[in-house]
Amino acid sequence: MHAEPEVAVLRYGHRPGRDDRMTTHVGLTARALGADRVVFPDNAGQSKETVEDITDRFGGPFAVETTDAQKAFVRNWEGVVVHLTMYGERVQDVQDEVRAVHREEPVLVVVGGEKVPFEVYETADFNVGVTNQPHSEVAGLAVFLDRLFDGRELDREWESADRTVLPMETGKRVVDPSEADAMEMANGAKGDESGDGSADDV
Amino acid sequence: MHAEPEVAVLRYGHRPGRDDRMTTHVGLTARALGADRVVFPDNAGQSKETVEDITDRFGGPFAVETTDAQKAFVRNWEGVVVHLTMYGERVQDVQDEVRAVHREEPVLVVVGGEKVPFEVYETADFNVGVTNQPHSEVAGLAVFLDRLFDGRELDREWESADRTVLPMETGKRVVDPSEADAMEMANGAKGDESGDGSADDV
C-alpha cells in the first residue's frame, strides 16, 4: 500500500463459470483492502475485466494481472509468501511476525480456490489460518489484510477515480471526486452528510 | 458469542443458483467469526443445508434459520440493527459505538445480496461501510465481525464437533476433538504441530 513494500494477492485456481464471482470478489477485496495488485489464473479473464472496470471508475492505483504458471509464480516470488489455509497457523499467533517481515519485503498472499497443491504449502513462508474452520477464502483474505495493515488500509485515498461514495448515516450519495474534495475542505474530515438519500447506483 | 448479547446475521436477498455460493459463504463466515446464528431468505435452502452440515461436523453452537419476511425481521428486531453497505458510515468511525451497544443489546447484522430496499437503510440503527468501495459482502461481514468482537472470536471453542483441524506450519492435520484436547493438555495451548502433512480433506 504505497511507501511500503508491495502486497500482491494470487488467486490460486479458477474454474470458469463456477468460480467467476468468488474470483472477482477476491480481486475486489484485494483492491479495497489495501493490496497493490491481484494475479489471476489466465482462464479468469472475466473477473479481470470486472476488477479493472471497478478500478477505472472508483480509482487506483491497482493492477490486475494474469499468469499461466501459478506454481512458478509462487516459487519465484522475491519476498515472503503467505498462503491462507484453514490448516495453517493461527493468524493471531503469526501476524506480528508477518507485519515485521512486510516492513522489509514484498508480500505475496496466496488464496486458494480449487485444491492447492502441496508444493504451495511447502514453498510458503507462512501457512496461515483465519480460524481453523471452513468458511470463505474471501473472508479469510479480508481479515488477513485488515490485520496485516493494522487498519491503515481503511484510510487509503484513491487516485484517478471518476466517482466517490460519501459515507452517510442513511441513504446513498455518489459524487464527482473533486466535489468530495471540496466538501472535505469545507466541512472537515467527515464531509457533508446531508445527502438526499437517492438511490443512484454505482 | 456466548455470555454476551446475541449476534445474528441476516442475509438479505437470495437468487437461487446464482447466489448459492455467496449466501453459503455469508453463513459459514458468520459461524466461523463469532456470530450465534444466520438467517437466510426461505429460498436459500441449499445454503442452509451446507452450513448445517459444516456445523454438524466442525461444531457449534450455531443456528441456521430461514424467514419468509425479511423486512419484518429487520423491523421487529429487538436490539440494534447494523446494515453493512458501501454507502454507510466508515466502520473505523462507528465501531466503538457499536461495540458499546453490543455490551447491552443483541445485534442484527444485515448483509445485502440483491438490491436492499431503502426501508432497511431507514430501519437500521447503523449503516456501516467497510470501506466505501465496491467489493464483497463476505469480506465486509468478516472485517466487521472481527472488529465487533475485537479478535475474541478467533479464540472461540467449538462444542460437539466430530473433527478438529490442528494449526500447522506446513500440511494438513484433522483429528478427533478428544485427541486435540489431549494434545493441548500435553503440549500447552499451541498443540502438537508435528503432523505428517498428509492431505486428508475435511
Side-chain angles (χ1 to χ4, degrees):
Chain A
M1 205 169 56
H2 329 303
E4 293 178 359
E6 179 191 27
V7 174
V9 172
L10 173 67
R11 164 65 159 177
Y12 202 104
H14 174 77
R15 294 161 299 180
R18 180 169 155 76
D19 289 341
D20 287 344
R21 277 178 88 196
M22 295 312 301
T23 296
T24 299
H25 281 220
V26 165
L28 293 177
T29 298
R31 173 186 170 277
L33 296 179
D36 299 281
R37 60 172 161 148
V38 70
V39 182
F40 289 147
D42 60 1
N43 63 350
Q46 194 177 323
S47 295
K48 179 172 188 277
E49 270 181 38
T50 304
V51 179
E52 284 174 339
D53 176 58
I54 292 288
T55 302
D56 284 347
R57 292 194 283 156
F58 288 89
F62 184 73
V64 190
E65 295 165 18
T66 58
T67 178
D68 61 359
Q70 304 174 81
K71 257 190 226 178
F73 192 94
V74 176
R75 200 168 45 230
N76 298 332
W77 181 257
E78 293 183 3
V80 64
V81 175
V82 177
H83 172 221
L84 299 182
T85 162
M86 65 177 278
Y87 301 100
E89 297 182 277
R90 308 187 322 158
V91 63
Q92 62 270 45
D93 294 337
V94 298
Q95 63 189 21
D96 289 345
E97 199 179 342
V98 178
R99 280 180 193 146
V101 179
H102 174 230
R103 276 177 220 120
E104 310 295 331
E105 288 182 56
V107 175
L108 178 66
V109 185
V110 181
V111 178
E114 54 185 311
K115 207 168 173 72
V116 173
F118 193 64
E119 184 184 327
V120 171
Y121 288 79
E122 292 177 313
T123 307
D125 299 289
F126 297 91
N127 289 287
V128 176
V130 175
T131 78
N132 295 101
Q133 297 293 319
H135 54 106
S136 171
E137 61 267 42
V138 174
L141 175 64
V143 169
F144 179 78
L145 290 175
D146 189 36
R147 287 171 171 250
L148 175 65
F149 296 120
D150 209 6
R152 296 190 306 280
E153 82 286 356
L154 299 180
D155 297 316
R156 163 170 190 181
E157 299 197 349
W158 299 91
E159 298 167 19
S160 307
D162 69 21
R163 69 198 70 190
T164 297
V165 172
L166 295 186
M168 291 184 69
E169 279 185 36
T170 310
K172 303 179 180 182
R173 186 139 185 210
V174 184
V175 301
D176 186 270
S178 59
E179 195 185 337
D181 289 347
M183 282 177 175
E184 257 184 42
M185 279 163 51
N187 298 296
K190 289 199 73 184
D192 179 351
E193 298 187 359
S194 62
D196 62 4
S198 68
D200 25 355
D201 273 330
V202 295
Chain B
M1 204 170 58
H2 328 307
E4 293 176 0
E6 178 190 27
V7 174
V9 172
L10 172 67
R11 164 64 160 179
Y12 202 105
H14 175 77
R15 294 161 299 181
R18 180 168 154 76
D19 289 340
D20 286 344
R21 277 179 90 196
M22 295 311 304
T23 296
T24 299
H25 282 220
V26 166
L28 293 177
T29 298
R31 172 185 171 276
L33 296 179
D36 299 282
R37 61 173 159 145
V38 70
V39 182
F40 289 147
D42 59 0
N43 63 350
Q46 194 177 323
S47 295
K48 178 170 188 279
E49 269 182 38
T50 304
V51 180
E52 284 174 339
D53 177 56
I54 291 289
T55 303
D56 283 348
R57 292 194 283 153
F58 289 88
F62 184 74
V64 190
E65 295 166 17
T66 57
T67 177
D68 61 0
Q70 303 175 82
K71 257 190 229 182
F73 193 94
V74 177
R75 199 168 45 230
N76 298 331
W77 180 256
E78 295 184 1
V80 65
V81 174
V82 177
H83 171 221
L84 299 182
T85 162
M86 65 177 278
Y87 300 99
E89 297 183 277
R90 307 186 325 157
V91 63
Q92 63 269 45
D93 294 338
V94 298
Q95 64 189 18
D96 288 345
E97 197 179 343
V98 177
R99 281 179 192 145
V101 179
H102 175 230
R103 277 180 219 117
E104 310 296 330
E105 288 182 57
V107 175
L108 177 66
V109 184
V110 181
V111 179
E114 55 185 311
K115 209 169 172 73
V116 173
F118 193 66
E119 184 183 326
V120 172
Y121 288 79
E122 291 177 313
T123 307
D125 298 288
F126 297 90
N127 289 287
V128 177
V130 175
T131 79
N132 295 101
Q133 298 292 319
H135 56 105
S136 171
E137 62 266 42
V138 174
L141 175 63
V143 169
F144 178 78
L145 290 175
D146 189 35
R147 286 170 172 253
L148 174 65
F149 296 121
D150 209 4
R152 295 190 306 280
E153 82 285 357
L154 299 181
D155 297 317
R156 163 169 188 181
E157 299 197 348
W158 298 90
E159 296 167 20
S160 307
D162 69 21
R163 69 198 69 190
T164 297
V165 172
L166 294 186
M168 289 185 70
E169 278 185 36
T170 310
K172 304 178 180 184
R173 188 143 184 204
V174 184
V175 301
D176 186 88
S178 59
E179 196 185 334
D181 289 347
M183 282 178 178
E184 256 184 44
M185 278 163 52
N187 297 299
K190 291 199 70 182
D192 179 350
E193 298 186 0
S194 63
D196 62 3
S198 67
D200 25 358
D201 274 328
V202 295

